Amino acid sequence: MLMEYLLAGLGQLFTFENILLMSIGVVIGLFVGAMPGLTVTLGVALVLPFTFGLDSLSGIILLTGVYCAGTYAGAITAILINTPGTPSSVTTAWDGYPLTNQGQASGALRIALYSSVIGGLISGIFLMLFAPPQIAKIALQFGPPEMFTLTFLGLTVIARVSGTSPPIKGLISAAFGLLFASVGIDLVSGVSRFNFGMNFLNAGLNIIPACIGLFAIAEVFYQIERRRKIFIQDMPDHSDTPSNVSWKDLFKHKLLLLKSSIIGVGVGAIPGTGGSVASFIAYDEAKRTSKKPELFGKGSYEGIIASESSNNGITGGSLIPTFTLGIPGTSSAAIFLGALMIHGLTPGPDLFRFQGELIYTVFIGFFIINIIMLFLGFFASKWAINILKIPNSILYPVILAFCIIGGYAIIGTLTGVGVSLFFGVIGYLMLKNGYPPAPMVIALILGPKVEESLRQSLILSSGDISIFFTRPISVLFIIIVVLTTVLPLIRGKKLLNFFRKRK
Amino acid sequence: MYLNSRKYIPSISTALIGLAIFILVPFQIDLSMVNGNNVSGVDARTLPYFLSSLIVLLSVVEIINIKRKERVEEYKKMSKTQYMNIFRVCLTFIAIVLWIVLVPYLGFIIAMIILLVSVMLLMGNRSWLQIILVPLLTSFLLNYVFTTFLGRTLPTGIFF
């Protein structure tokens, strides 16, 4: 069955149209990833409306291209100008920029690209082999209590997706997200909630206009306030010797490469942990086990390998819970989830039962995208600096135009633009006051599932909450909730100390 | 006094919004139409009540946390430039609202050109070539891609 799917998938992907779409996705991803201030999430949200006119496969591989390439591209500016394009490239800058100062920018860029591609490919293997059969089969046995404890697990993640913000602010953001998710007709009783007399709110708030507002319009407002004209005026003048770094040099560190990629996959598969956590852990681990730890922070190739392979290992890892359980691993994955639903696909075990061929084709596409990224990444490292010279007064108005058309296209009425603008204002105020938007997005997605499964469970047990403690899978999730809440606190403290030392 | 109290504004605001939602629940969620007994003990109002209370509680905790750290942080008075920058954000917001109002009359292309020109000017762009070319290219290109390639309908106004 698997082989049939794979062969059919290969046939579907190797068409001119799909190769072109994957390449376009990679180019857009390289652009948004390389621009400090533009995030991968923003890129995926803005490209999503362009998938409406495409079939499901073409739309999803286009988004996958943006996601994978955007995750890598942060390394380019991290290495060249010490400005990470994405938060997960911070550790790449620690060693990449010193290498640039030593005239080895080309070598650093090449090793970052190779490591990212290998990290992405390894995560693709995990995504293909481990996600569907095991997790999806278990998910088939889920009733409302299991679904509640699972979605509750997704919600406990929320404090951890707060980034540098205090966990309390993450929880407040999530609580508002759950409240926004409750807008519309209550599915259990049929009662309308918080519609304020506006009929369009009875259908609930659509997740995609909300994401466009929270991540893109908010960023436009923020940049208008900052009034920075351009990211860089001129490229810093560093003498650069042509790179003689090859695959051989990379494979000298094959164990480090494998270990860091697996760290990326593992961390990515735990909802809410994110790329920056994976790269910090992998960097820390690489330094601990290196024969030359003194080089870390002064221009170590090992540091770049660990950071970039773990960073791209996240991409496949975060899609595992998204596809199999419908729980987004990162904010980008949350938009992926929205994209799947827009294209009529229901994430979870049914996705593999009824859309197996499509999903396996997407998985193969994941590999091809990483290979395309290898070729286009070479060009990107040369022109990335030039895109930083685009004036903000051109870039952000154009992004705003994409936001508005995206908000409109999702519903086909101006209410979508209104919802995007509403969330844009909220996102801007949150950004200004240190409230992270990612917990709000995850809560918006999980909210209806949490409430529905909780109420169905309590109806089944006539209000007795012991139903959650008497079913094995439900108990397992409760144990995981406790473990995943306590362990990161310990590990986080260690990482925080490590990060403070770096500062 | 003003500078010290400014840092409490976000948390006080979230607490007040939480409180407002709590008060709004019975007005916005009408249970009088629901038939039958509620055996589960959880109804359509339970989660909103719980969440609004949680927001108030967490905001109060955050206020206490800020109070504890009070000595460490110093708040500077906002400069005139900062006020102007926030004013520009407000103008951008108004420009988008006007776009929503005007697009049924002007159509997507003209309304988008006007919006983009306004935002570019607000962001300090004074190159007339850019101010003409960027909005024109963006509006026509987006209109073409969405209507021709993606088969979506965009708003048309009086002109086209």
Side-chain angles (χ1 to χ4, degrees), chain A residues 49-54 166 168-169 171-172 174-176 178-179 182 186 189 191-197 217 220-229 391-394 396-398 400-402 404-406 408-412 414 417-418 421-422 425 428 432-433 435 447 450-451 454-455 458-459 462-464, chain B residues 10-11 14 17-18 21 24-25 28-31 33-34 38-45 47-48 51-52 54-55 58-59 61-62 65 69 78 82 85-86 88-89 92-93 96-97 99-101 103-104 108 112 115-116 119-126 130 134 138 142-143 145-146 149-155:
Chain A
F50 289 88
T51 68
F52 297 160
L54 304 171
I168 286 187
K169 289 190 170 180
L171 287 171
I172 292 175
F176 274 112
L178 287 171
L179 271 173
S182 71
D186 171 34
S189 63
V191 169
S192 177
R193 298 193 288 192
F194 299 112
N195 70 1
F196 295 95
I217 295 182
V220 172
F221 284 156
Y222 193 60
Q223 291 298 335
I224 288 172
E225 191 197 326
R226 286 183 77 187
R227 225 172 140 73
R228 191 161 65 168
K229 287 186 174 165
N392 281 356
S393 60
I394 290 179
Y396 285 99
V398 172
L400 184 63
F402 277 73
I404 288 175
I405 203 164
Y408 180 83
I410 185 91
I411 305 172
L414 289 167
V417 185
L421 183 61
F422 172 73
V425 173
Y428 165 69
K432 267 181 77 75
N433 295 298
Y435 289 85
V450 171
E451 192 183 8
L454 170 70
R455 289 168 67 182
L458 291 175
I459 288 169
S462 303
D464 183 3
Chain B
S11 304
T14 52
I17 295 169
I21 295 169
L24 273 174
V25 168
Q28 284 294 322
I29 306 172
D30 181 10
L31 296 181
M33 305 294 278
V34 182
N38 183 7
V39 289
S40 68
V42 178
D43 60 31
R45 285 179 184 172
L47 191 71
L51 290 170
S52 50
L54 185 69
I55 289 169
L58 290 171
S59 304
V61 174
E62 181 63 7
N65 279 345
K69 294 175 192 166
M78 273 171 77
Q82 283 171 306
N85 290 340
I86 292 173
R88 282 190 187 93
V89 176
T92 311
F93 171 79
I96 303 172
V97 173
W99 184 90
I100 296 172
V101 174
V103 77
F108 174 80
M112 186 56 84
L115 174 69
L116 290 183
V119 177
M120 284 178 78
L121 286 170
L122 280 171
M123 289 194 81
N125 196 319
R126 296 292 179 269
Q130 288 176 8
V134 173
T138 310
L142 281 178
N143 186 63
V145 169
F146 270 83
F149 278 117
L150 303 174
R152 311 295 288 192
T153 315
L154 293 177

Side-chain angles (χ1 to χ4, degrees), chain B residues 52-106:
Chain B
S52 50
S53 314
L54 185 69
I55 289 169
V56 174
L57 180 75
L58 290 171
S59 304
V60 171
V61 174
E62 181 63 7
I63 290 167
I64 294 165
N65 279 345
I66 297 169
K67 184 87 183 158
R68 272 192 199 156
K69 294 175 192 166
E70 201 165 40
R71 280 174 292 120
V72 185
E73 292 170 26
E74 272 185 31
Y75 275 68
K76 288 176 188 168
K77 199 177 175 182
M78 273 171 77
S79 66
K80 197 182 168 189
T81 322
Q82 283 171 306
Y83 275 116
M84 277 308 291
N85 290 340
I86 292 173
F87 182 61
R88 282 190 187 93
V89 176
C90 295
L91 286 179
T92 311
F93 171 79
I94 292 167
I96 303 172
V97 173
L98 281 177
W99 184 90
I100 296 172
V101 174
L102 293 177
V103 77
Y105 307 103
L106 299 177

Side-chain angles (χ1 to χ4, degrees), chain A residues 373-454:
Chain A
M373 195 173 87
L374 179 64
F375 294 104
L376 295 180
F378 276 117
F379 298 106
S381 54
K382 294 192 196 317
W383 54 251
I385 285 302
N386 293 320
I387 62 166
L388 295 182
K389 291 178 184 169
I390 298 174
N392 281 356
S393 60
I394 290 179
L395 182 69
Y396 285 99
V398 172
I399 289 174
L400 184 63
F402 277 73
C403 296
I404 288 175
I405 203 164
Y408 180 83
I410 185 91
I411 305 172
T413 65
L414 289 167
T415 54
V417 185
V419 172
S420 295
L421 183 61
F422 172 73
F423 277 98
V425 173
I426 290 176
Y428 165 69
L429 293 173
M430 288 169 76
L431 210 58
K432 267 181 77 75
N433 295 298
Y435 289 85
M440 186 177 275
V441 170
I442 293 179
L444 255 170
I445 287 201
L446 294 180
K449 278 186 198 169
V450 171
E451 192 183 8
E452 196 185 339
S453 54
L454 170 70

Side-chain angles (χ1 to χ4, degrees), chain B residues 13-24:
Chain B
S13 306
T14 52
L16 288 176
I17 295 169
L19 192 64
I21 295 169
F22 190 90
I23 296 166
L24 273 174

